[in-house]
Amino acid sequence: MNAITDVPGVLVGHHQRLGEGWATGTTVVLVPDGAVGAVDQRGGAPGTRETDLLKPENLVQRVNAVCLSGGSAYGLAAADGVMRWLSERNLGFPVGEQPHEVVPIVPGAVLFDLPRSGWGNRPDAGFGYAACEAATTTVAQGTVGAGSGAVVGSLKGGIGTASERVGEVTVGAIAAVNAAGEAVDFKTGRAFAADHEVDGEFGVRWPDRPGAVPGQRTDLNTTVGVVACDAALSKAEARRLAVSAQDGLARAVRPAHSMFDGDTVYALATGTRELPQQSGSFASAARAGALDALCSAAARVFARAMVHGLLAATAAGGVAAYRDVWPEAFGPS
C-alpha cells in the first residue's frame, strides 16, 4: 500500500476537527504487540514526551504507540487518551503480577498549528483515544489527523506516508509535514524531493512555472513523524534509523531543523525479521552493512512521505494547498 502499515503489526489512526474554528488533530501509530523504540530530535523548539526513556541505556525497550498531535505543547495531552485505550486492553510495560498492572509506553511529539484553530481549540485526551479507535492498516493522507492544521512554508501541509522493501525487510514512514522551510521550488512548482518518486507514485505532472506565494509564511513549525521496520533491532540501531529519516526530512524542505522547528522522528522496530549476518570475524561488519541499507531506505521513505503529505493536503485554516497554486499538476495529461 506504500504506507507505514506495510510493516506488519503497525496500525495508524487519525482523529481531527475541521471547520467552525477548528483545524487540528491527532495521529496515532499503534503497535499493539510492541516494538523497540527510539527517537531523534532536531531543531530548536521541540514539544515531546517520553523521549528520555528511549535512550539506549534506559530500562524500557519496547513502546506500544507513538502519538503525533497538533496543538503545540497543549496537544501533548492527546497521549493520555492513547494510554487509556491501551490500558483498557492490558497493553503496556508490566509493573505487577496481574494483567492490568501495566504502564502503556506512549512517546509523543506535537506540532505548532495554533493559529489555524483560533489559538483556543486544540487536541485533548479524547483525540488520542478516538485515533486509537480508528486505527487500521489503511492510512488516510493529507488534511487529516496531526496534519489537519499543518503548514509547510507558504503552503498547507498534511499527513503523508510511504514504504519500500530492502531485501526481506519492510521500511515505512509517516510524516506530519509542518516545516518552517519550503517544500517546493516556487520558481518551477517542483517539490524539492520530487526525484525520490518511485513508479509514478506522486500522481502529478510537475509544472514548470513560477507560483505566487499565497499569503504569509509562519516561522513557528515542527515536522513530526515515525519510521518503522520489521527488522530485529536494538534501541541504538533503531535510533540510527530515526537519524537517517531526519536526512530525508532535510531533502524535502529547505531549510530544515531551524531554531523554530522541533523536528522529531521516532523509530519502531517490530523485530520479526533478523538482519542477515555472516559468521566469524565478519559478523559485525555484515550486520552494520545490513543496518546501513535500512538507514538509506529510511531517508528515502521519509522524504517520499513528506511529498505525499504536501500533495495530498487541501486548504484549511486559511492556508492554500499545493493543488490551489498549481492545479494543472493534477489535471488530465
Side-chain angles (χ1 to χ4, degrees), residues 10 42 85 130 160 191 233 253 256 327:
V10 176
R42 304 189 190 186
W85 189 92
L233 303 180
V253 295

Side-chain angles (χ1 to χ4, degrees), residues 221-238:
N221 293 77
T222 287
T223 294
V224 294
V226 178
V227 60
C229 72
D230 53 355
L233 303 180
S234 68
K235 287 171 74 175
E237 290 170 331

Side-chain angles (χ1 to χ4, degrees), residues 58-151:
N58 288 339
L59 173 66
V60 172
Q61 298 295 308
R62 299 175 73 82
V63 306
N64 305 107
V66 175
C67 183
L68 310 175
S69 188
S72 191
Y74 299 104
L76 290 171
D80 294 341
V82 182
M83 290 189 68
R84 179 163 63 89
W85 189 92
L86 289 163
S87 68
E88 290 174 354
R89 291 154 180 80
N90 300 333
L91 298 173
F93 183 79
V95 292
E97 297 181 357
Q98 299 302 314
H100 68 280
E101 294 174 337
V102 298
V103 176
I105 306 301
V106 185
V110 292
L111 56 82
F112 183 83
D113 60 1
L114 295 176
R116 265 73 71 193
S117 282
W119 295 88
N121 296 325
R122 53 247 185 178
D124 57 16
F127 277 63
Y129 192 95
C132 290
E133 289 282 273
T136 180
T137 56
T138 301
V139 184
Q141 301 186 77
T143 305
V144 295
S148 297
V151 172

Side-chain angles (χ1 to χ4, degrees), residues 209-250:
R209 67 166 177 86
V213 178
Q216 296 182 343
R217 297 178 63 247
T218 174
D219 289 325
L220 294 172
N221 293 77
T222 287
T223 294
V224 294
V226 178
V227 60
C229 72
D230 53 355
L233 303 180
S234 68
K235 287 171 74 175
E237 290 170 331
R239 185 174 184 275
R240 292 303 307 176
L241 213 64
V243 167
S244 297
Q246 292 273 20
D247 294 338
L249 189 161

Side-chain angles (χ1 to χ4, degrees), residues 109-203:
V110 292
L111 56 82
F112 183 83
D113 60 1
L114 295 176
R116 265 73 71 193
S117 282
W119 295 88
N121 296 325
R122 53 247 185 178
D124 57 16
F127 277 63
Y129 192 95
C132 290
E133 289 282 273
T136 180
T137 56
T138 301
V139 184
Q141 301 186 77
T143 305
V144 295
S148 297
V151 172
V152 54
S154 306
L155 297 168
K156 185 69 180 67
I159 291 287
T161 190
S163 69
E164 73 170 78
R165 292 289 295 275
V166 181
E168 295 299 315
V169 176
T170 301
V171 180
I174 188 168
V177 184
N178 188 71
E182 300 284 1
V184 178
D185 182 349
F186 272 83
K187 295 179 181 178
T188 66
R190 186 177 178 88
F192 289 130
D195 59 342
H196 283 61
E197 184 173 23
V198 176
D199 296 332
E201 66 181 305
F202 298 144

